Amino acid sequence: MGKNPHTFQGFQNNYPHDAHTFIDFLKWRWNRLWGRRSNNPKKESYHFPLAKNDPAFLRRNRTETTLTWIGHASFLLQLKGVNILTDPHLTGRASPLSWMGPKRVTPPGLALEDLPVIDMVFISHNHYDHLDTSTVKRLYQKQGPGKSPHFFVPLGLKIWFTRLGISKVTELDWWESIQSFGFTLYAVPTQHFSARTPFNKNKTLWAGWVIAHPDFKFFFAGDTGYSLDFLEIGRRLGPFDLSALPIGAYEPRWFMKAMHINPEEAVQIHRDLNSRYSVAMHWGTFNLTDEPMDEPPKRLMAAREAAGLAPETFFLMQHGQTIHLDPLMNRHEKDKKSINLNVQ
C-alpha cells in the first residue's frame, strides 16, 4: 500500500469497512444513556492512582532513555538527548468546550509546567482526545517562538497549527519519511478517521509514527482499528524495540470495531509489528465508550497470557510512571532475553 488517496469525500483507509452514519452514532449514544440509567443508576467512579515521578530529573535529563505515561495517548519519551511528546493532552475535557464533553477521570501524570523543554511533538490525528487546542497553545507559549517544539503531523493538519501562529510544523503522508534530530521519522498507515466538526470528516489524514535510531526503534499507533496495515509496517520497518498501542475505547463492538482495537487485537498488532516490547495506552483517562474503565488492563493481562507472552513483553504503566529504557538500547539480535523494566 502506498500513499493515502485523497478522494472527493476525503482521505480513506487502506482496507474497506462499513462506515457508520450519524444515525448510528445517535443510536449508540441513546443506547449508552438508556443502559446507564436502567442498569447502573449510580454514576461510575474510578480511581487510578498517579505514580510518583521526578519532574526535576526529567527537566534536566539529556542522557538517560526514559518513558513517562502522562495519560491516554500522551507519552514523554526521552531518547538520545531529545524530548519527545505524543498526542499531548493536559486539560480537563476531550472536547471543544470547557464545560461539556468527555471529562478527564485521571489527572495528567505530568503537569505542563513540569515538562522539560520539548523538541518534537507527534500528532496522530485531529480528534479532540488526541489534538487538544489548549495544550498545544500552552506548550507553544511556554517555550516561545524561538524554542517552539517541532510538530510532526499527518497530511492536511499543518494549516491548523499555522492558524495558531505555529510555524515549526512538518506534515507527512503515509510512508513518507524525514530526517530530524538524528532520527528517521516515518508516518505510517493506521485504520481510523478524522473530524473536528460534523462537516470536515476525513479532510485531514490520520497516521501512526515510527521514530527510528540505529540503537532504538519506537512505534506510536495513535488511535486505530485492526487492519493488515500492521503486518506491512512490521515487514517494512520492523522489528521494533518498543510500541505504544491502544487497548481501550472498544465497546460496543458493532460501532467501535472498525476504529478502535480491543486488548486481544492489540496483542495481535504487537505480534504483527514484530515488537520486542509494547506498552498499553488509551485507557483509564477519559470515559469515552461503554466498557468499564478498569476492564482494558484486565483483558490485556488475559490476552497476554493466552498468547503466551511474558508480562513484561506487553506491559501496563501507572499514570505518571517513568521507566528507564536504557536496557533496551543497542541490543544485539542474538541477545533477546527479557529485561526487568519494573512494570506490570
Side-chain angles (χ1 to χ4, degrees), residues 237-254:
L237 300 176
F240 294 94
D241 293 289
L242 179 65
S243 299
L245 304 178
I247 65 165
Y250 49 77
E251 292 290 351
R253 293 312 280 157
W254 71 266

Side-chain angles (χ1 to χ4, degrees), residues 47-63:
H47 176 63
F48 301 106
L50 294 180
K52 185 178 181 180
N53 52 44
D54 188 349
F57 162 75
L58 295 173
R59 285 195 297 269
R60 69 175 182 267
N61 177 41
R62 289 284 184 171
T63 57

Side-chain angles (χ1 to χ4, degrees), residues 73-268:
S74 303
F75 286 97
L76 168 65
L77 173 64
Q78 299 185 299
L79 180 62
K80 293 294 178 180
V82 178
N83 293 324
I84 300 164
L85 278 183
T86 63
D87 285 354
H89 196 303
L90 298 167
T91 58
R93 290 190 187 271
S95 170
L97 305 171
S98 61
W99 50 273
M100 181 179 174
K103 190 175 182 179
R104 195 175 199 108
V105 172
T106 307
L110 277 175
L112 187 131
E113 54 269 22
D114 290 332
L115 290 174
V117 173
I118 300 301
D119 302 299
M120 296 195 290
V121 179
F122 291 87
I123 303 296
S124 64
H125 64 299
N126 70 354
H127 288 162
Y128 286 99
D129 57 322
H130 292 258
L131 179 59
D132 181 63
T133 305
S134 177
T135 300
V136 170
K137 282 182 175 179
R138 289 170 58 206
L139 185 62
Y140 174 75
Q141 291 165 357
K142 177 191 175 196
Q143 297 189 189
K147 295 184 178 179
S148 169
H150 197 125
F151 291 84
F152 295 88
V153 304
L155 202 61
L157 259 182
K158 182 174 182 177
I159 191 172
W160 185 90
F161 288 83
T162 57
R163 286 171 177 166
L164 295 180
I166 301 173
S167 59
K168 291 173 67 173
V169 185
T170 297
E171 63 178 20
L172 297 180
D173 200 351
W174 288 349
W175 298 116
E176 286 188 328
S177 64
I178 189 172
Q179 301 286 327
S180 186
F181 288 90
F183 301 97
T184 305
L185 313 173
Y186 302 83
V188 294
T190 56
Q191 182 165 295
H192 205 55
F193 72 105
S194 64
R196 283 179 82 81
T197 75
F199 312 106
N200 65 354
K201 185 176 180 180
N202 295 343
K203 298 304 181 184
T204 64
L205 190 56
W206 49 97
W209 291 95
V210 173
I211 303 171
H213 186 275
D215 292 342
F216 191 85
K217 195 178 292 183
F218 177 73
F219 173 71
F220 172 67
D223 210 352
T224 186
Y226 181 77
S227 73
L228 296 178
D229 289 310
F230 298 101
L231 278 170
E232 182 72 3
I233 295 167
R235 184 184 70 81
R236 290 199 194 188
L237 300 176
F240 294 94
D241 293 289
L242 179 65
S243 299
L245 304 178
I247 65 165
Y250 49 77
E251 292 290 351
R253 293 312 280 157
W254 71 266
F255 190 74
M256 296 293 171
K257 182 174 177 59
M259 297 300 133
H260 287 165
I261 58 175
N262 61 24
E264 294 77 16
E265 290 167 326
V267 168
Q268 184 60 54

